[in-house]
Amino acid sequence: MNRRDFVRLGCATVIGAGAGKMRPAFAESLALQHVATTPQRPPMAHLEPKTTGGAVDFTLQIAPMTVELAPQVVISTIGYNNKVPGPLLRMREGQPVTIGVVNDTDVPEYVHWHGLFVPSEVDGAAEEGTPPVPPHSRRRYQFVAKPAGSRWYHSHTMAMLDLHRGSYTGQFGFLMIDSPNDPGRYDQEVFLALREWEYFLSTMDQDDMAGDPNDPMPEKPATPDPRPNGLEVNAPLYSINDKMLGAGEPLRVQAGQRILMHLLNASPSQIHRLALPAHKFLVIALDGNPVPAPQLVSVIEIAPGERVDVIVEMNQPGVWILGEPRDVARQSGMGLVVEYANQQQRATWLPPPNARWDYTIFGKTAPHPAPDHTIDMVFEKVPGGPHGINHWLVNGQEFPHQREFIFRQGRRYRLVFHNRSDDAHPLHMHRHLFELVELNGKPTAGIKKDTVIVPAFGRATVDLLADQPGLTLFHCHIQQHMDFGFMALFRYA
Ligand SMILES: [Cu+2]
């Protein structure tokens, strides 16, 4: 396939509403052609050398850049330090850190430290009162690194209808806070961020956002909303880190190795799934927090904002495609070749068993102490509102609300998320962790997260201890939903 063919296919996807089947099988053909070559660059981010001569521990420079997703597939975006993902920021738990951010763009920017307990003034959200990094200027973020685990950082600007701003750009990276506790034995550690590129608006359905018809759907209304759905964000190109499937160096492994994979969904719009034929993933942490009951699964599901840490035992020598089970996603680039030493064959993909993702299997059975307060949050869609975009209501109103959500320090809150819409939403609470109590009526305990998928017409209940005074933003991690109303601000009284 030459470039013109590829571009034509790509454009056909862009302009053809409902043209999901027309996406290029380019990426998978690259993977299938893959043969062992000389290693050039491992498929993971690397530790950025500490900046010397100044008082900063890390520097992030926000600037326009290009990304070669595959040979002759080059896109332009905005990134950190001219790389996607940005540099891996690695720190010790409890370490005071200073991060210098240089903004070489024409618009104000915010860097959000996702999953960290940091003050509102440095959390990187305008709604919480963090000052911006002005255009062509710089600002320092200072905080103490906590809690330990897989965190990340990303732009937190509003994008609205501009699909070249905020989390639609390459402004994201891994942030690891190392714990003094032993993470267990592994032979290789890799960081894999899932992404799409070249976003556009369309009426195309996103397969993975709709509800599973077998779900209980406790929030489903008796009569469906007859209004036509608005435009959604979609994308023709997918990648893991900065490469489409088959275009980058494979992940090189040896039989008998244990690979620690830090998975991140850095997408502004789509839930993704991942499988590795003939292998299973031992899920050890969700959103960076160790789970009470690590379990082996065949398929990982990961929503925008979420992280899943897994160990994979390399015990099936061959050359395999770690990829998304949806053919169109894998063929558009969502995958990575995993190559055992001394194996030369073509990369193999096999569809995984039809496994459902269920957070609760990683939990334990334990009673939850009664909360001091329960806050019900009802989420509704206004289909095809202004600009043909869906708008979102939290308890009947688009953001901003008037002092609606109050925390008192030291109190325990139970939040009940009622999703009265036909999409799944990854709901994120800034500056806090919550514990999953119930998902669609199924109880669990011990699972600590900062982002939780509430399935279409589903219900999730979480418990939270209000112990981080300061304004606290809550929102759906799908950028378009957040921009068009799906946010709430919690204030400490
Ligand atoms: Cu949403």
XYZ file of all heavy atoms in Angstrom, residues 245-331:
661
model
N 0.409 -0.307 15.226
C 0.780 -1.719 15.264
C 1.685 -2.069 14.076
O 1.328 -1.817 12.931
C -0.501 -2.572 15.209
C -0.322 -4.081 15.011
C 0.530 -4.686 16.118
C -1.685 -4.766 14.953
N 2.836 -2.646 14.395
C 3.747 -3.107 13.355
C 4.739 -2.067 12.885
O 5.683 -2.397 12.177
N 4.527 -0.813 13.263
C 5.378 0.256 12.732
C 6.606 0.509 13.603
O 7.607 1.030 13.130
C 4.582 1.545 12.592
N 6.546 0.139 14.870
C 7.663 0.402 15.770
C 8.435 -0.872 16.051
O 8.170 -1.932 15.488
N 9.383 -0.757 16.929
C 10.122 -1.935 17.360
C 9.204 -2.824 18.181
O 8.365 -2.327 18.934
C 11.319 -1.511 18.211
C 12.391 -0.793 17.436
C 12.936 -1.640 16.305
O 13.252 -2.825 16.558
O 13.030 -1.128 15.172
N 9.343 -4.146 18.040
C 8.517 -5.024 18.877
C 8.969 -4.963 20.331
O 10.070 -4.499 20.627
C 8.771 -6.412 18.290
C 10.115 -6.325 17.662
C 10.278 -4.905 17.178
N 8.117 -5.445 21.195
C 8.510 -5.674 22.578
C 9.254 -7.009 22.587
O 8.665 -8.052 22.280
C 7.273 -5.734 23.472
C 7.495 -6.173 24.920
C 8.472 -5.249 25.640
C 6.165 -6.218 25.659
N 10.552 -6.957 22.888
C 11.375 -8.172 22.813
C 11.424 -8.835 24.188
O 11.788 -8.190 25.173
C 12.775 -7.827 22.333
C 12.771 -7.364 20.889
C 14.180 -7.284 20.314
N 14.097 -7.093 18.874
C 13.895 -5.900 18.304
N 13.796 -4.835 19.058
N 13.799 -5.807 16.990
N 11.069 -10.118 24.221
C 10.994 -10.838 25.486
C 11.733 -12.173 25.354
O 12.066 -12.602 24.249
C 9.524 -11.092 25.900
C 8.766 -9.777 26.024
C 8.825 -12.019 24.908
N 11.945 -12.802 26.501
C 12.533 -14.143 26.506
C 11.624 -15.065 27.285
O 10.984 -14.641 28.254
C 13.913 -14.103 27.171
C 14.923 -13.344 26.317
C 16.285 -13.264 26.977
O 16.610 -14.070 27.848
N 17.072 -12.287 26.571
N 11.590 -16.313 26.852
C 10.765 -17.298 27.544
C 11.155 -17.331 29.017
O 12.348 -17.288 29.355
C 10.948 -18.671 26.907
N 10.147 -17.378 29.874
C 10.395 -17.435 31.312
C 10.396 -16.076 31.981
O 10.363 -15.991 33.212
N 10.409 -15.011 31.193
C 10.419 -13.674 31.810
C 9.044 -13.308 32.344
O 8.016 -13.759 31.844
C 10.833 -12.612 30.777
C 12.322 -12.535 30.536
C 12.694 -11.326 29.687
O 11.928 -10.870 28.849
N 13.888 -10.823 29.904
N 9.057 -12.470 33.354
C 7.823 -11.817 33.843
C 7.912 -10.355 33.430
O 8.835 -9.656 33.812
C 7.729 -11.924 35.366
C 7.368 -13.309 35.879
C 7.693 -13.430 37.363
N 6.951 -12.481 38.197
C 5.750 -12.730 38.718
N 5.147 -13.882 38.505
N 5.163 -11.833 39.472
N 6.923 -9.914 32.641
C 6.912 -8.536 32.148
C 5.883 -7.744 32.941
O 4.710 -8.131 33.005
C 6.545 -8.479 30.646
C 7.377 -9.475 29.829
C 6.702 -7.049 30.114
C 8.841 -9.192 29.783
N 6.331 -6.661 33.552
C 5.421 -5.739 34.238
C 4.992 -4.686 33.229
O 5.819 -3.945 32.704
C 6.132 -5.092 35.433
C 5.397 -3.949 36.138
C 4.036 -4.385 36.689
C 6.267 -3.367 37.264
N 3.704 -4.670 32.911
C 3.179 -3.691 31.954
C 2.352 -2.661 32.699
O 1.407 -3.011 33.403
C 2.284 -4.371 30.909
C 2.991 -5.351 29.998
S 1.836 -6.015 28.764
C 2.948 -7.133 27.884
N 2.729 -1.398 32.524
C 1.914 -0.297 33.039
C 1.060 0.201 31.879
O 1.572 0.838 30.962
C 2.798 0.837 33.552
C 3.737 0.446 34.657
N 3.305 0.147 35.940
C 5.087 0.295 34.671
C 4.353 -0.140 36.690
N 5.439 -0.069 35.953
N -0.223 -0.117 31.900
C -1.126 0.275 30.810
C -1.858 1.547 31.206
O -2.318 1.689 32.339
C -2.147 -0.840 30.533
C -1.562 -2.235 30.267
C -2.684 -3.270 30.194
C -0.753 -2.238 28.975
N -1.950 2.454 30.248
C -2.640 3.726 30.460
C -3.533 3.984 29.253
O -3.078 3.839 28.116
C -1.598 4.856 30.581
C -2.091 6.287 30.325
C -3.038 6.747 31.426
C -0.902 7.258 30.209
N -4.777 4.351 29.484
C -5.597 4.831 28.383
C -5.517 6.353 28.383
O -6.130 7.017 29.217
C -7.042 4.348 28.496
C -7.865 4.743 27.265
O -7.506 5.672 26.540
N -8.962 4.045 27.041
N -4.734 6.895 27.452
C -4.543 8.343 27.362
C -5.470 8.954 26.312
O -5.249 10.055 25.846
C -3.088 8.651 27.022
N -6.495 8.212 25.957
C -7.447 8.703 24.951
C -8.400 9.718 25.562
O -8.813 9.575 26.700
C -8.260 7.515 24.424
O -9.434 7.977 23.782
N -8.784 10.736 24.787
C -9.812 11.661 25.270
C -11.220 11.157 24.993
O -12.185 11.821 25.341
C -9.547 12.922 24.442
C -8.988 12.392 23.166
C -8.212 11.148 23.512
N -11.349 9.978 24.358
C -12.689 9.647 23.861
C -13.104 8.195 23.906
O -14.291 7.919 23.845
C -12.837 10.144 22.414
O -11.981 9.423 21.566
N -12.181 7.239 23.968
C -12.606 5.849 23.771
C -12.122 4.895 24.848
O -10.966 4.954 25.271
C -12.072 5.306 22.436
C -12.735 5.916 21.241
C -12.397 5.157 19.960
O -12.145 3.950 20.003
N -12.375 5.847 18.850
N -13.005 3.995 25.241
C -12.612 2.849 26.053
C -11.904 1.866 25.132
O -12.298 1.692 23.987
C -13.858 2.202 26.693
C -14.509 3.180 27.673
C -13.501 0.887 27.389
C -15.812 2.687 28.278
N -10.838 1.244 25.626
C -10.132 0.257 24.811
C -10.058 -1.079 25.548
O -10.178 -1.129 26.775
C -8.718 0.740 24.478
C -8.708 1.856 23.475
N -9.068 1.680 22.164
C -8.409 3.166 23.610
C -8.989 2.835 21.518
N -8.592 3.763 22.372
N -9.858 -2.144 24.768
C -9.611 -3.460 25.340
C -8.320 -3.983 24.737
O -7.950 -3.601 23.634
C -10.768 -4.417 25.025
C -12.067 -3.988 25.680
C -13.124 -5.092 25.670
N -14.300 -4.640 26.401
C -15.360 -4.063 25.827
N -15.396 -3.914 24.523
N -16.369 -3.662 26.559
N -7.648 -4.855 25.482
C -6.387 -5.420 25.013
C -6.339 -6.903 25.341
O -6.756 -7.320 26.420
C -5.196 -4.762 25.712
C -4.580 -3.481 25.154
C -3.346 -3.149 25.980
C -4.219 -3.599 23.678
N -5.805 -7.678 24.386
C -5.576 -9.100 24.625
C -4.228 -9.484 24.023
O -3.747 -8.824 23.095
C -6.688 -9.929 23.992
N -3.623 -10.545 24.546
C -2.381 -11.090 24.008
C -2.602 -12.587 23.824
O -2.691 -13.331 24.806
C -1.211 -10.826 24.972
C 0.153 -11.372 24.556
C 0.629 -10.793 23.230
C 1.197 -11.131 25.660
N -2.737 -13.029 22.568
C -3.056 -14.433 22.319
C -2.131 -15.385 23.088
O -0.927 -15.119 23.196
C -2.855 -14.579 20.808
C -3.030 -13.202 20.258
C -2.551 -12.264 21.325
N -2.687 -16.454 23.624
C -1.954 -17.520 24.314
C -1.406 -17.097 25.679
O -0.719 -17.862 26.339
C -0.819 -18.079 23.447
N -1.682 -15.873 26.100
C -1.173 -15.377 27.379
C -2.317 -14.800 28.201
O -3.360 -14.449 27.664
C -0.141 -14.274 27.160
C 1.081 -14.733 26.431
N 1.094 -14.958 25.081
C 2.346 -14.992 26.873
C 2.313 -15.352 24.723
N 3.088 -15.383 25.790
N -2.074 -14.710 29.491
C -3.021 -14.029 30.364
C -2.331 -12.908 31.115
O -1.110 -12.927 31.286
C -3.655 -15.023 31.336
C -4.648 -15.956 30.635
C -5.551 -16.660 31.616
C -6.684 -17.341 30.846
N -7.723 -17.856 31.743
N -3.135 -11.954 31.548
C -2.627 -10.817 32.305
C -2.956 -11.034 33.775
O -4.118 -11.261 34.116
C -3.321 -9.521 31.877
C -3.257 -9.211 30.404
C -4.313 -9.534 29.557
C -2.149 -8.565 29.872
C -4.267 -9.222 28.212
C -2.098 -8.240 28.521
C -3.168 -8.578 27.682
N -1.963 -10.945 34.628
C -2.235 -10.946 36.063
C -2.408 -9.489 36.482
O -1.441 -8.711 36.494
C -1.087 -11.597 36.839
C -1.262 -11.611 38.362
C -2.422 -12.528 38.776
C 0.032 -12.045 39.052
N -3.655 -9.108 36.789
C -3.942 -7.718 37.155
C -3.544 -7.515 38.608
O -4.089 -8.168 39.508
C -5.434 -7.399 36.957
C -5.767 -6.001 37.469
C -5.796 -7.528 35.474
N -2.556 -6.624 38.839
C -2.077 -6.428 40.207
C -2.466 -5.068 40.788
O -2.483 -4.881 41.990
C -0.541 -6.618 40.314
C 0.203 -5.667 39.361
C -0.156 -8.058 40.018
C 1.714 -5.650 39.596
N -2.775 -4.101 39.909
C -3.157 -2.774 40.418
C -4.116 -2.110 39.445
O -4.006 -2.287 38.226
C -1.917 -1.897 40.619
N -5.073 -1.367 39.975
C -5.996 -0.554 39.184
C -5.776 0.901 39.568
O -5.748 1.225 40.762
C -7.456 -0.961 39.455
C -7.846 -2.389 39.032
C -9.281 -2.698 39.473
C -7.704 -2.587 37.522
N -5.596 1.756 38.570
C -5.288 3.172 38.781
C -4.084 3.333 39.716
O -4.013 4.281 40.509
C -6.510 3.927 39.346
C -7.627 4.049 38.322
O -7.402 3.718 37.149
O -8.735 4.478 38.703
N -3.158 2.376 39.639
C -1.922 2.467 40.404
C -1.997 1.920 41.809
O -0.987 1.880 42.508
N -3.184 1.477 42.227
C -3.368 1.015 43.604
C -3.486 -0.504 43.622
O -4.352 -1.060 42.944
C -4.632 1.662 44.182
C -4.636 3.163 43.932
O -3.702 3.865 44.305
N -5.659 3.647 43.239
N -2.633 -1.191 44.410
C -2.678 -2.656 44.437
C -4.087 -3.162 44.766
O -4.768 -2.587 45.615
C -1.694 -3.015 45.555
C -0.769 -1.842 45.643
C -1.599 -0.641 45.292
N -4.515 -4.215 44.071
C -5.855 -4.754 44.320
C -5.783 -5.847 45.376
O -4.754 -6.529 45.499
C -6.493 -5.299 43.020
C -6.749 -4.164 42.043
C -5.650 -6.396 42.367
N -6.854 -6.051 46.154
C -6.843 -7.087 47.196
C -6.665 -8.490 46.625
O -6.037 -9.329 47.253
C -8.228 -6.967 47.845
C -8.734 -5.617 47.484
C -8.106 -5.257 46.174
N -7.230 -8.747 45.425
C -7.211 -10.103 44.875
C -6.719 -10.074 43.422
O -7.537 -10.029 42.498
C -8.604 -10.720 44.954
N -5.404 -10.113 43.206
C -4.915 -10.173 41.814
C -5.507 -11.395 41.105
O -5.624 -12.468 41.713
C -3.400 -10.307 41.988
C -3.108 -9.679 43.327
C -4.304 -10.052 44.179
N -5.915 -11.221 39.859
C -6.556 -12.298 39.099
C -5.987 -12.320 37.698
O -5.618 -11.280 37.154
C -8.074 -12.044 38.958
C -8.846 -11.933 40.248
C -9.104 -13.266 40.905
O -8.977 -14.311 40.254
N -9.450 -13.260 42.176
N -5.991 -13.538 37.092
C -5.595 -13.684 35.695
C -6.802 -13.429 34.804
O -7.878 -13.982 35.040
C -5.084 -15.105 35.441
C -3.692 -15.428 35.972
C -3.451 -16.935 35.922
C -2.615 -14.690 35.181
N -6.631 -12.596 33.783
C -7.705 -12.347 32.821
C -7.133 -12.409 31.404
O -5.937 -12.234 31.190
C -8.386 -10.972 33.041
C -9.030 -10.896 34.420
C -7.396 -9.829 32.862
N -8.025 -12.659 30.449
C -7.614 -12.726 29.037
C -7.723 -11.382 28.347
O -7.050 -11.138 27.347
C -8.493 -13.723 28.277
O -8.389 -14.990 28.847
N -8.637 -10.547 28.836
C -8.878 -9.259 28.190
C -8.886 -8.167 29.257
O -9.523 -8.313 30.300
C -10.242 -9.254 27.446
C -10.478 -7.909 26.765
C -10.302 -10.382 26.420
N -8.154 -7.100 28.974
C -8.147 -5.912 29.832
C -9.090 -4.891 29.224
O -9.064 -4.668 28.020
C -6.740 -5.267 29.859
C -5.672 -6.225 30.349
C -6.748 -3.971 30.662
C -5.723 -6.493 31.803
N -9.902 -4.256 30.038
C -10.666 -3.100 29.569
C -10.174 -1.888 30.332
O -9.984 -1.953 31.545
C -12.162 -3.311 29.819
C -13.005 -2.151 29.308
C -14.496 -2.435 29.465
O -15.038 -3.204 28.653
O -15.095 -1.905 30.414
N -9.967 -0.806 29.600
C -9.367 0.368 30.228
C -9.971 1.614 29.591
O -9.993 1.760 28.375
C -7.818 0.276 30.129
C -7.141 1.441 30.825
C -7.337 0.143 28.709
C -5.637 1.236 31.019
N -10.495 2.477 30.439
C -11.208 3.664 29.967
C -10.290 4.876 30.023
O -9.276 4.865 30.726
C -12.438 3.902 30.839
N -10.657 5.947 29.313
C -9.867 7.165 29.380
C -9.569 7.576 30.818
O -10.484 7.664 31.642
C -10.764 8.194 28.688
C -11.499 7.401 27.665
C -11.779 6.077 28.355
N -8.295 7.781 31.131
C -7.883 8.182 32.461
C -7.430 7.029 33.330
O -6.679 7.228 34.279
N -7.870 5.798 33.024
C -7.550 4.664 33.900
C -6.147 4.116 33.616
O -5.614 4.254 32.524
C -8.554 3.526 33.694
C -9.918 3.801 34.279
C -10.797 2.554 34.241
O -10.929 1.944 33.159
O -11.348 2.194 35.277
N -5.601 3.447 34.637
C -4.374 2.679 34.489
C -4.636 1.269 34.990
O -5.382 1.074 35.958
C -3.206 3.268 35.317
C -2.644 4.574 34.766
C -3.421 5.779 35.243
N -3.299 5.989 36.683
C -4.236 6.533 37.431
N -5.394 6.911 36.913
N -4.049 6.701 38.727
N -4.001 0.299 34.338
C -4.051 -1.089 34.795
C -2.619 -1.608 34.773
O -1.949 -1.532 33.745
C -4.952 -1.964 33.894
C -4.991 -3.397 34.423
C -6.376 -1.399 33.815
N -2.140 -2.096 35.914
C -0.806 -2.701 35.991
C -0.963 -4.212 35.967
O -1.736 -4.765 36.763
C -0.093 -2.294 37.285
C 0.322 -0.816 37.288
O 0.347 -0.203 36.210
O 0.618 -0.296 38.373
N -0.240 -4.846 35.063
C -0.346 -6.300 34.931
C 1.040 -6.921 34.863
O 2.012 -6.275 34.477
C -1.132 -6.696 33.653
C -2.534 -6.118 33.674
C -0.407 -6.263 32.376
N 1.096 -8.194 35.256
C 2.293 -9.015 35.042
C 1.917 -10.062 34.007
O 0.865 -10.695 34.114
C 2.729 -9.732 36.340
C 3.148 -8.718 37.413
C 3.809 -10.753 36.057
C 4.601 -8.354 37.437
N 2.757 -10.218 32.991
C 2.523 -11.263 31.996
C 3.690 -12.234 32.041
O 4.855 -11.832 31.905
C 2.375 -10.678 30.574
C 2.023 -11.788 29.583
C 1.311 -9.584 30.547
N 3.381 -13.508 32.274
C 4.406 -14.567 32.251
C 4.624 -14.967 30.811
O 3.694 -15.382 30.129
C 3.897 -15.807 33.009
C 3.687 -15.578 34.478
C 4.742 -16.271 35.323
O 5.781 -16.693 34.747
O 4.528 -16.389 36.534
N 5.848 -14.855 30.348
C 6.149 -15.184 28.964
C 6.457 -16.676 28.848
O 7.575 -17.114 29.100
C 7.339 -14.329 28.500
C 6.966 -12.878 28.370
S 5.682 -12.690 27.106
C 4.975 -11.142 27.569
N 5.431 -17.444 28.530
C 5.581 -18.904 28.529
C 5.043 -19.552 27.260
O 4.755 -20.741 27.234
C 4.895 -19.493 29.769
C 3.481 -18.949 29.927
O 2.919 -18.412 28.961
N 2.904 -19.066 31.112
N 4.863 -18.770 26.191
C 4.388 -19.312 24.909
C 5.241 -18.734 23.784
O 4.808 -17.810 23.082
C 2.915 -18.928 24.678
C 1.932 -19.533 25.661
C 1.769 -21.021 25.456
O 2.000 -21.547 24.367
N 1.396 -21.736 26.515
N 6.468 -19.266 23.581
C 7.367 -18.666 22.591
C 6.699 -18.527 21.223
O 5.969 -19.403 20.775
C 8.540 -19.646 22.535
C 8.570 -20.229 23.909
C 7.119 -20.370 24.316
N 6.955 -17.404 20.592
C 6.377 -17.102 19.287
C 6.477 -15.615 19.045
O 7.209 -14.905 19.727
N 5.725 -15.154 18.049
C 5.617 -13.725 17.777
C 4.129 -13.405 17.755
O 3.376 -13.981 16.960
C 6.284 -13.339 16.437
C 6.196 -11.826 16.220
C 7.735 -13.798 16.409
N 3.696 -12.552 18.676
C 2.263 -12.344 18.925
C 1.895 -10.873 18.784
O 2.749 -10.000 18.933
C 1.903 -12.796 20.351
C 2.277 -14.202 20.666
C 3.388 -14.618 21.337
C 1.554 -15.386 20.312
N 3.399 -15.996 21.432
C 2.289 -16.492 20.814
C 0.363 -15.630 19.632
C 1.864 -17.806 20.648
C -0.056 -16.936 19.464
C 0.688 -18.015 19.968
N 0.621 -10.640 18.551
C 0.121 -9.265 18.538
C -0.621 -9.002 19.840
O -1.642 -9.644 20.127
C -0.835 -9.023 17.337
C -0.048 -9.099 16.022
C -1.522 -7.652 17.469
C -0.912 -8.990 14.768
N -0.061 -8.087 20.647
C -0.804 -7.550 21.787
C -1.715 -6.477 21.185
O -1.231 -5.475 20.658
C 0.169 -6.917 22.788
C -0.432 -6.065 23.909
C -1.234 -6.900 24.889
C 0.677 -5.297 24.645
N -3.029 -6.712 21.180
C -3.861 -5.768 20.438
C -5.286 -5.724 20.924
O -5.705 -6.482 21.802
N -6.007 -4.788 20.329
C -7.416 -4.619 20.671
C -8.231 -5.685 19.943
O -8.065 -5.893 18.744
C -7.872 -3.205 20.257
C -9.339 -2.963 20.486
C -9.634 -1.621 21.153
O -8.695 -0.873 21.492
O -10.829 -1.356 21.344
N -9.134 -6.377 20.653
C -9.922 -7.414 19.998
C -10.803 -6.902 18.847
O -11.014 -7.618 17.876
C -10.791 -7.991 21.134
C -10.007 -7.694 22.377
C -9.300 -6.391 22.104
N -11.300 -5.660 18.920
C -12.080 -5.116 17.800
C -11.171 -5.030 16.587
O -10.164 -4.324 16.601
C -12.538 -3.684 18.132
C -13.892 -3.547 18.726
C -14.346 -2.092 18.708
N -13.365 -1.161 19.240
C -13.290 0.133 18.907
N -14.141 0.639 18.049
N -12.387 0.912 19.444
N -11.530 -5.719 15.514
C -10.660 -5.764 14.334
C -10.342 -4.368 13.818
O -9.207 -4.073 13.465
C -11.332 -6.579 13.219
C -11.368 -8.064 13.559
O -10.596 -8.489 14.439
O -12.176 -8.788 12.953
N -11.367 -3.512 13.755
C -11.153 -2.191 13.145
C -10.144 -1.377 13.950
O -9.339 -0.639 13.389
C -12.497 -1.454 12.963
C -13.127 -1.104 14.303
C -12.332 -0.203 12.120
N -10.136 -1.544 15.265
C -9.194 -0.792 16.097
C -7.767 -1.302 15.878
O -6.826 -0.524 15.718
C -9.576 -0.904 17.566
N -7.627 -2.622 15.840
C -6.285 -3.209 15.651
C -5.757 -2.878 14.255
O -4.602 -2.513 14.081
C -6.386 -4.724 15.865
C -5.140 -5.392 16.348
C -5.394 -6.847 16.671
N -6.005 -7.576 15.576
C -7.284 -7.902 15.493
N -8.127 -7.593 16.452
N -7.769 -8.563 14.441
N -6.643 -2.986 13.276
C -6.225 -2.707 11.901
C -5.910 -1.220 11.712
O -5.211 -0.848 10.779
C -7.318 -3.168 10.924
C -7.371 -4.683 10.839
C -8.684 -5.213 10.308
O -9.590 -4.453 9.981
N -8.797 -6.524 10.223
